[in-house]
Amino acid sequence: MPAQRVIVYIDGYNLYYGLRSKGWKWAYWLNLQSLAEHLLKPEQTLVEVKYFTSIVKRPQGRHDRQAIFLEALQTLPKVRIFYGHFLSNIVTCKQCGHTYQTHHEKMTDVNIAVELLSDAFQGKMDTALLISADSDLVGVVQRARSLFNLRVVVAFPPGRHSNTLKQTCNGYLTIGRNILKKSRFPEKIVKPDGFPLRCPVEWH
């Protein structure tokens, strides 16, 4: 019997904020291909990992750390990165009148929906594994299951959960500390051109 083909879709900021809520900075240096492989069952095979994120522009230190991480991901043969963007809003405090700027990410849920439905339409997988707890993805899961009879499993990041997403998918699990520990990059990675990448010291 042929192995079940799995494509993994990772909501980058949902995963990041889950790790941050636990204080697990050590897990930011995460080999996403290894993580995906650790989540698969023995009868399943990994086709691809699709990682959805947006570039952090500031503060500079956070931008630089993200850039190193993205370079590390680009050394993985089965990982593809898809970019959204941040929108800024000016918020005024109702009590004191002080104004400040906030940022929120856009396009991740749309990009995930487009890729997941496209892959399902092309018959590229038997199971979609979705790493997120964003209930905005319920609609695309429902459509993928009804149109293509696709099996969809959700893996909740640490500290994150969505009952509606859980109820919409065929199955669910929560990513735990042990799998994350087994899925970290080594402290130093050497790119194909010989350039070394090191885990940022702030992530130890």
Side-chain angles (χ1 to χ4, degrees):
M1 191 172 182
Q4 298 174 21
R5 301 163 301 158
V6 179
I7 296 180
V8 180
Y9 304 83
I10 302 178
D11 181 341
Y13 275 91
N14 208 273
L15 175 59
Y16 166 76
Y17 284 117
L19 296 174
R20 194 173 80 164
S21 73
K22 290 288 191 178
W24 293 352
K25 288 187 176 182
W26 53 267
Y28 293 174
W29 191 235
L30 196 58
N31 180 325
L32 298 180
Q33 183 171 317
S34 178
L35 173 65
E37 289 167 344
H38 279 118
L39 293 174
L40 297 191
K41 295 180 179 179
E43 68 273 15
Q44 295 177 324
T45 184
L46 180 65
V47 175
E48 193 172 19
V49 177
K50 297 190 173 186
Y51 178 68
F52 301 83
T53 190
S54 296
I55 298 295
V56 175
K57 294 184 178 178
R58 52 185 178 271
Q60 190 64 42
R62 190 175 169 197
H63 170 86
D64 293 344
R65 291 189 292 274
Q66 185 194 41
I68 294 169
F69 176 60
L70 294 174
E71 279 196 76
L73 290 183
Q74 289 166 11
T75 68
L76 303 174
K78 291 190 176 181
V79 173
R80 287 177 62 197
I81 305 172
F82 298 80
Y83 294 100
H85 59 272
F86 282 100
L87 290 182
S88 59
N89 290 327
I90 302 298
V91 179
T92 302
C93 176
K94 293 180 180 178
Q95 294 181 330
C96 69
H98 176 70
T99 61
Y100 57 95
Q101 192 174 49
T102 64
H103 299 84
H104 60 280
E105 193 197 11
K106 297 291 289 183
M107 292 298 291
T108 285
D109 52 352
V110 174
N111 288 341
I112 290 175
V114 169
E115 288 299 313
L116 196 154
L117 289 175
S118 175
D119 291 339
F121 177 74
Q122 296 176 71
K124 290 184 175 180
M125 60 188 162
D126 305 299
T127 296
L129 177 58
L130 179 61
I131 298 180
S132 181
D134 186 352
S135 58
D136 287 346
L137 295 168
V138 164
V140 68
V141 171
Q142 290 174 331
R143 190 56 59 92
R145 291 190 61 191
S146 63
L147 288 179
F148 307 109
N149 197 29
L150 182 70
R151 177 175 171 79
V152 183
V153 176
V154 62
F156 294 120
R160 314 285 279 188
H161 189 78
S162 165
N163 277 326
T164 53
L165 202 51
K166 170 185 166 182
Q167 293 163 4
T168 305
C169 292
N170 297 88
Y172 76 97
L173 56 100
T174 298
I175 298 171
R177 186 187 188 100
N178 289 339
I179 283 182
L180 292 169
K181 280 190 170 182
K182 291 188 290 186
S183 303
R184 288 184 83 244
F185 280 116
E187 289 298 307
K188 177 183 175 183
I189 304 166
V190 179
K191 295 174 61 178
D193 62 4
F195 186 83
L197 299 170
R198 290 179 173 83
C199 177
V201 294
E202 294 88 350
W203 291 358
H204 288 105

